[in-house]
Amino acid sequence: MGEIFCPMCGKSNPAESEVCQFCQARLVPLVFSPAESEPPEAIPEEMPSSIDAAPTGESDWLLGLRSDEPIPSEESLADVEAGGLEDGNLPSDETHISADDVPDWLARLPGESPQEAEAEPLSDWLKEETGETEQPPSKPVEVSDWLSHPLPDEGQVESSESESELAPGEFPSWLEAIRPVKDEPQTVSVRGTPERIESAGPLAGLSGVLPAEPDHVRPRKSPTYPLELRVSANQRIHVDLLQGLIESEGRAQPLPQRRGISSQHVLRWTIACVLWGALIWSVITGKQEAPLPAYTEETAEVNRLISQLPGEARVLLAFDYEPGLSAEMDAAATAVVDHLMLRGAYLTLVSTSPTGPILAERFIMKTQSSHHYTSGVNYVNLGYIPGGAMGLLSFVENPQRTLPYTLDTVAAWESEAHAGLPALQGVQHLNDFELLMVIVDDPDLARAWVEQVQPQLNEPDTLTSLVMVTSAQVEPVMRPYFEANPRQVHGFVFGLRGGAAYAQLTGRGELPRTYWGPYGFGLVVAALLILIGGLVLSSVSLLARSPQIKGEANQ
Amino acid sequence: MSIADLVGAILGFIFTLLVFSYIIGDNPLFRLAIHIFIGVAAGFATIMAVNNVLVPRLLIPLLDGSRAERILALVPMVLGWLLLTKISPRLSPLGNLPVAFLVGVGAAAAVGGAVTGTLFPQAYASINLFDLQSAGAIDTSLGLKLVNGVIILIGTIATLAYFHFGVSSRAQQPSQVQVWLEGLGQVGQAFIAITLGFIFAGIYSAAMVALIERLYFLVNFVKPLLLPLFPSS
Amino acid sequence: MKATFYVAIAMAIGLIVLLGYFLHLDLLANLRVVLLEWAVILSAVALLVGTANLFYVHWRKFTTTQPNGFYSAVLIISFVITLGVVGWFGPTHAYSMWIFNNIQVPIEGSLMALLTVLLAFAGVGLFRRKPNLMSIIFIGTAVLILFATGPLFGINLPGISELRAWIAQVPAVAGARGILLGVALGTIATGLRVLMGADRPYGG
């Protein structure tokens, strides 16, 4: 198969290509057909007839050589190059050249009349642009009329000495013929694709011309390769599910109609009856008393830190859990707070949850009534810090400005105007507390406390420790903060198990002891339910699928 | 027990049963209980926001504060009023400024906390797993500590590898999956499954305590009513 | 123009707060305190916007006699009564505590208690489909921890507590640490996108 090499980028293209596939340079010069072009009568009348006498394509400079008249000035040529063609500006001072002055080598040029030529007449500077382009031999180059005819006399051409007085120039016939009409639609090439139209220079308005600045020298933005994500089919299903969930947010979903009793209902009722029945029996009879669990390292650390507190220590206690988990959190924190109160610590209560301050009051009334702690004396409830992590950061930066009053709107902090409450005597910053204890049920909230508060406690000369009493669900996520070296959280009490272990350490705390027996029993029953129920279900579904599997195997 | 306590106990008993009725299926009684709960919770949240934050932090400085305090309180007051326009869809664009303020502060707090509170300390903790000096101080078996440390380090890296979903592609070449990264991701998936299983057990444990507390409440409520039927017990 | 202004505000304020984590300058610290204080106040206003919107939605449902309008009426009544009692007497008054102890806590606690059945049902449901290795690891770990957390029929079996402790301290910590680092990296990426104006959740 024949190939054409692009004169601009040098890459190989099929022989029949008209433009380069890589840099869009024209491979084949445009051919001008005289039958399709405007008749020679378009030539302005000022064009001298003596030009017709010239044998073949003679350019201005060549004509200038032959003639005594001065060649066209650079200024007039510049007018042409600057787009004067559109306005029809042509060099006005054209010279007359006689046939006797034609050099021999020029005379030997093929003598084709302009009318017979089909190709676009090329001046030398245009030829230089095309370079080594292979010309199809079947397409002769047409010589324009004005190249083949001598230039008009000086007197027959209007002079245009000043730019402002330049008369609109006139195009040679060949240029006029191939220039698009102003309102014409975009030129479409032979292949039916729109071509690039030159927007500047003497070839403005023409399509399919070689670009003045080839593509490969133009600065281009480096191509960006798309980053593909490796997403499995399963993940795609999950993504679609999540997208559907998000899109359905806010839209009222119609309640599905009840279809009667299905196997799913029966399974759910069975689980409820077995589990709740076992627990009710355990609660009523109280026959599931069990030894309290052994304490773990993180629980022992909490005990050690509280035991080392000085008398009348200032302790910040955060109640950051929801009322729904108050059963577990109360049971986990009872023995710990009881230990604090036994040490005589002053407690400052805060919360980042709106119901936290009320839960704190409820906790103290319900589980610590034996200590007779009084609000405003032994403890102070500063209330609610809104804003999540922002609120925590604000409290860390300046606790006095964040929570200036108690829940009862009493000025809490020491200042010039107020003496401050006993629980906050000598406390200006978070570092002034001996111990920070956070009672939290949510992993994200626990993490926010660590991220915002713990760096503050890393300051030099800070002896404040951070401990947490958390729900059992938080243990896996928060344990890395305890296992870190250096520790970010100095001690943990995880769930009812931790609370019961702490109760065993201190020998106090009735609530975790009460719940411990039924708790263990309930967990075992639940685990057996999941295991046995799951095995039964999987066996049933396997049996149901086995004929299908056998059928597939036989095939 | 006072009348208020008795009425309260009856209410608690009724509400507990209404919510437990969900086991049978979604029903009007369950939805009644839920709507009452939402109303009460919203009421408490509103009062806490007003009494505990807006009154002492905004109103009192504006009314009783010094000149500087008043000027400083003006800005959040104006922003607060603009934020309230978010309730109305028509005026909602006015609230974009305070939302932009909140978003800027929130994003900065989140980024700063993540960097200083989690990223660096936890990365440092992964390195310090092989801190032999501290192992000696705590009197832990050195070999066991090393083995555990290797498992934790591999698990941490494998878990992070699982969350890598990007595949770089080159022009006119099919995207290539790095086999070793995919294998490491599979290992990470196993560690994540263990962690999530632990979390599942934790949530179940928390729910179990809640159930035990509610059952104790129900039993303790019903027992006195049934005691006359069983005089010997 | 407005969008640029909002972006500029978010970026400038975010930058001041973020720089405070790393630079300890008095001027920066004071500015940071003021900005954070304003953010806390605005967060409380945002909470009010949420509750006001809740009230408005249910008020419309009730007044336009939409289906389930009765429940909206119940919600509005309970909201107004709570507002009145707690607002008048204070959050720690006996009446407010009575509402909290006898309505909110029982309902929320019961909702949490329901999870014992629903989660067990979900755990059983995992076996219905063809289990793969990961789901087996997941449910196996969950069942093992459930057995090991409480006393097994009143007996603390030797070894099971140590096994539970090892799972909690080694593989679970490994997975959790990877998750924490991943969450931190994601938070940083998302936060920086907001601070650089690439994400504009505020309608800019």
Side-chain angles (χ1 to χ4, degrees):
Chain A
M1 192 171 106
E3 288 180 339
I4 288 180
F5 289 96
C6 175
M8 291 298 160
C9 61
K11 291 189 180 167
S12 166
N13 290 270
E16 60 271 16
S17 304
E18 290 195 2
V19 292
C20 177
Q21 293 173 354
F22 299 96
C23 67
Q24 307 305 317
R26 191 150 182 89
L27 301 175
V28 175
L30 284 176
V31 176
F32 175 65
S33 167
E36 300 163 354
S37 66
E38 291 181 20
E41 287 76 17
I43 301 169
E45 292 177 356
E46 293 79 26
M47 295 295 288
S49 58
S50 57
I51 291 176
D52 294 333
T56 54
E58 292 177 341
S59 59
D60 300 337
W61 65 270
L62 195 57
L63 292 173
L65 281 177
R66 291 197 286 133
S67 159
D68 292 333
E69 300 295 331
I71 61 176
S73 65
E74 288 181 357
E75 188 181 338
S76 56
L77 282 175
D79 289 340
V80 171
E81 290 176 2
L85 283 174
E86 288 187 357
D87 300 331
N89 290 328
L90 277 178
S92 58
D93 46 344
E94 293 169 334
T95 55
H96 172 70
I97 302 169
S98 64
D100 295 335
D101 294 334
V102 177
D104 295 336
W105 64 268
L106 191 59
R108 285 195 292 273
L109 285 177
E112 294 171 352
S113 64
Q115 289 76 15
E116 295 172 357
E118 294 175 9
E120 177 188 28
L122 298 173
S123 60
D124 284 346
W125 64 270
L126 278 177
K127 279 186 185 172
E128 286 172 3
E129 286 289 320
T130 55
E132 301 166 5
T133 308
E134 289 183 19
Q135 305 270 344
S138 59
K139 295 184 180 177
V141 177
E142 187 194 30
V143 179
S144 65
D145 289 342
W146 67 270
L147 281 178
S148 59
H149 297 304
L151 294 170
D153 292 334
E154 186 181 11
Q156 296 179 3
V157 176
E158 291 178 8
S159 64
S160 58
E161 293 177 3
S162 66
E163 287 183 353
S164 57
E165 296 174 356
L166 275 176
E170 285 143 354
F171 295 122
S173 59
W174 63 269
L175 193 56
E176 191 66 43
I178 63 175
R179 279 191 70 232
V181 177
K182 275 187 184 174
D183 293 332
E184 265 182 5
Q186 190 180 16
T187 306
V188 176
S189 71
V190 177
R191 294 180 183 175
T193 55
E195 292 184 330
R196 179 181 156 275
I197 296 179
E198 186 60 54
S199 58
L203 303 180
L206 294 173
S207 65
V209 299
L210 293 172
E213 192 182 36
D215 279 345
H216 70 271
V217 298
R218 278 188 205 145
R220 278 187 299 195
K221 201 168 70 166
S222 55
T224 53
Y225 300 110
L227 195 67
E228 292 179 13
L229 285 181
R230 176 169 47 99
V231 180
S232 67
N234 210 24
Q235 287 165 342
R236 174 58 62 192
I237 293 171
H238 293 156
V239 163
D240 292 340
L241 268 174
L242 182 62
Q243 202 165 358
L245 273 173
I246 293 168
E247 281 167 3
S248 66
E249 272 286 311
R251 271 186 271 154
Q253 304 289 337
L255 285 172
Q257 293 195 355
R258 298 180 68 175
R259 296 181 192 171
I261 299 172
S262 69
S263 60
Q264 303 300 313
H265 288 96
V266 173
L267 178 63
R268 201 160 61 179
W269 297 340
T270 308
I271 291 173
C273 288
V274 170
L275 191 59
W276 289 2
L279 278 170
I280 290 172
W281 174 79
S282 172
V283 166
I284 291 175
T285 60
K287 288 197 174 174
Q288 291 302 320
E289 285 185 16
L292 294 177
Y295 61 88
T296 51
E297 183 188 357
E298 64 270 8
T299 310
E301 278 295 305
V302 177
N303 184 263
R304 183 185 67 82
L305 286 167
I306 294 177
S307 301
Q308 287 176 357
L309 283 176
E312 298 183 350
R314 267 69 180 171
V315 175
L316 181 71
L317 199 53
F319 281 81
D320 262 343
Y321 57 92
E322 293 299 316
L325 279 154
S326 59
E328 186 194 21
M329 302 313 299
D330 289 352
T334 292
V336 184
V337 177
D338 176 72
H339 192 188
L340 275 174
M341 290 183 174
L342 278 176
R343 301 286 304 166
Y346 285 105
L347 304 179
T348 302
L349 312 181
V350 297
S351 177
T352 63
S353 163
T355 52
I358 308 167
L359 277 169
E361 294 286 339
R362 177 179 173 273
F363 176 84
I364 288 177
M365 269 195 296
K366 182 181 159 190
T367 65
Q368 312 298 332
S369 54
S370 61
H371 295 282
H372 305 291
Y373 260 51
T374 311
S375 174
V377 178
N378 306 102
Y379 75 93
V380 57
N381 194 338
L382 292 179
Y384 166 52
I385 311 171
M390 289 188 294
L392 278 172
L393 184 60
S394 175
F395 186 67
V396 165
E397 291 288 316
N398 197 325
Q400 299 179 32
R401 287 184 69 149
T402 306
L403 293 173
Y405 301 99
T406 68
L407 208 54
D408 304 319
T409 332
V410 172
W413 301 88
E414 208 175 355
S415 67
E416 291 171 0
H418 307 283
L421 296 173
L424 291 169
Q425 290 288 332
V427 176
Q428 300 291 324
H429 303 286
L430 233 57
N431 295 343
D432 296 329
F433 288 102
E434 271 86 14
L435 184 71
L436 266 61
M437 182 180 294
V438 182
I439 306 173
V440 62
D441 65 344
D442 180 51
D444 291 332
L445 206 47
R447 191 164 47 85
W449 270 97
V450 175
E451 287 180 353
Q452 303 300 336
V453 171
Q454 188 269 330
Q456 182 82 7
L457 305 181
N458 278 344
E459 300 290 323
D461 303 327
T462 300
L463 300 173
T464 310
S465 304
L466 174 65
V467 299
M468 287 190 167
V469 179
T470 73
S471 169
Q473 62 181 323
V474 176
E475 178 179 355
V477 181
M478 293 309 294
R479 187 172 275 279
Y481 291 110
F482 176 76
E483 302 287 343
N485 184 8
R487 283 188 179 141
Q488 291 179 267
V489 180
H490 301 96
F492 274 106
V493 174
F494 290 121
L496 176 62
R497 183 185 170 87
Y502 203 94
Q504 194 186 28
L505 266 177
T506 60
R508 295 169 64 94
E510 197 55 38
L511 198 57
R513 292 169 196 273
T514 307
Y515 291 164
W516 181 244
Y519 173 73
F521 181 65
L523 288 183
V524 169
V525 170
L528 286 173
L529 264 176
I530 293 171
L531 212 53
I532 295 170
L535 286 171
V536 167
L537 260 184
S538 60
S539 308
V540 166
S541 62
L542 195 63
L543 286 170
R545 279 205 312 263
S546 60
Q548 190 180 357
I549 295 169
K550 279 182 187 169
E552 287 169 1
N554 289 338
Q555 286 175 4
Chain B
M1 187 186 271
S2 66
I3 293 178
D5 290 339
L6 180 65
V7 171
I10 292 170
L11 269 181
F13 181 82
I14 292 171
F15 282 130
T16 303
L17 292 181
L18 290 183
V19 172
F20 279 178
S21 69
Y22 184 76
I23 291 298
I24 304 170
D26 190 18
N27 58 81
L29 297 174
F30 172 77
R31 276 192 266 160
L32 179 71
I34 292 302
H35 280 79
I36 292 172
F37 156 67
I38 295 170
V40 168
F44 268 107
T46 305
I47 294 301
M48 289 306 296
V50 171
N51 274 18
N52 202 211
V53 183
L54 295 179
V55 167
R57 307 282 301 279
L58 205 55
L59 277 185
I60 291 178
L62 277 172
L63 298 174
D64 277 343
S66 64
R67 188 191 175 97
E69 284 174 354
R70 282 182 191 178
I71 292 170
L72 275 180
L74 268 177
V75 174
M77 194 187 76
V78 170
L79 290 176
W81 280 113
L82 287 175
L83 190 56
L84 283 174
T85 60
K86 280 290 185 186
I87 300 172
S88 159
R90 200 162 44 91
L91 299 173
S92 170
L94 289 173
N96 286 344
L97 177 61
V99 172
F101 182 94
L102 279 171
V103 164
V105 177
V111 169
V115 170
T116 59
T118 296
L119 192 64
F120 286 153
Q122 287 299 309
Y124 199 53
S126 300
I127 299 165
N128 280 348
L129 284 168
F130 305 97
D131 183 1
L132 304 178
Q133 285 179 351
S134 67
I138 301 173
D139 193 23
T140 309
S141 161
L142 209 64
L144 184 62
K145 184 175 170 66
L146 277 174
V147 168
N148 287 342
V150 168
I151 294 172
I152 293 175
L153 186 64
I154 291 173
T156 306
I157 295 169
T159 305
L160 284 169
Y162 173 73
F163 289 116
H164 176 73
F165 297 110
V167 174
S168 59
S169 64
R170 297 181 186 278
Q172 299 172 359
Q173 284 181 18
S175 59
Q176 293 180 356
V177 176
Q178 292 172 320
V179 176
W180 67 271
L181 195 61
E182 197 166 5
L184 199 59
Q186 293 288 323
V187 173
Q189 208 176 354
F191 279 95
I192 291 171
I194 293 173
T195 306
L196 292 181
F198 208 113
I199 292 174
F200 178 88
I203 297 172
Y204 200 91
S205 306
M208 182 62 67
V209 181
L211 176 63
I212 290 168
E213 190 269 335
R214 284 289 92 203
L215 290 177
Y216 262 107
F217 171 79
L218 291 174
V219 166
N220 290 338
F221 181 83
V222 169
K223 226 180 194 178
L225 302 174
L226 296 178
L227 264 177
L229 299 175
F230 304 96
S232 58
S233 60
Chain C
M1 177 63 191
K2 274 185 188 172
T4 314
F5 176 65
Y6 298 145
V7 171
I9 290 284
M11 286 169 70
I13 288 170
L15 201 62
I16 291 170
V17 174
L18 185 60
L19 280 176
Y21 279 97
F22 306 105
L23 299 175
H24 298 287
L25 303 169
D26 285 341
L27 177 65
L28 189 65
N30 292 337
L31 193 54
R32 202 166 176 242
V33 162
V34 171
L35 291 174
L36 287 169
E37 196 184 324
W38 292 350
V40 165
I41 294 171
L42 286 177
S43 300
V45 176
L47 195 149
L48 286 187
V49 170
T51 52
N53 187 55
L54 175 79
F55 182 86
Y56 174 70
V57 163
H58 285 276
W59 178 260
R60 276 184 62 86
K61 263 181 116 175
F62 172 61
T63 52
T64 55
T65 58
Q66 289 180 22
N68 300 325
F70 167 71
Y71 299 114
S72 297
V74 167
L75 188 147
I76 290 168
I77 292 169
S78 59
F79 178 65
V80 169
I81 290 174
T82 307
L83 267 186
V85 171
V86 180
W88 184 261
F89 294 104
T92 54
H93 191 270
Y95 296 164
S96 308
M97 295 301 293
W98 186 92
I99 294 175
F100 187 77
N101 286 330
N102 296 302
I103 298 178
Q104 188 160 354
V105 171
I107 294 176
E108 274 203 62
S110 307
L111 282 170
M112 194 68 197
L114 274 181
L115 280 184
T116 54
V117 175
L118 300 176
L119 286 178
F121 178 71
V124 169
L126 264 179
F127 289 89
R128 245 188 302 136
R129 296 186 207 95
K130 190 178 170 188
N132 58 10
L133 177 64
M134 295 308 156
S135 60
I136 291 172
I137 293 175
F138 170 78
I139 204 67
T141 307
V143 168
L144 180 63
I145 299 300
L146 285 176
F147 274 127
T149 297
L152 204 58
F153 296 112
I155 308 165
N156 279 329
L157 282 179
I160 199 164
S161 288
E162 286 76 11
L163 178 63
R164 184 197 186 278
W166 183 83
I167 292 175
Q169 289 169 9
V170 181
V173 161
R177 186 165 282 158
I179 290 172
L180 283 173
L181 286 171
V183 166
L185 290 170
T187 305
I188 292 166
T190 309
L192 286 178
R193 282 176 62 86
V194 170
L195 291 176
M196 290 193 293
D199 272 343
R200 300 173 190 182
Y202 35 84

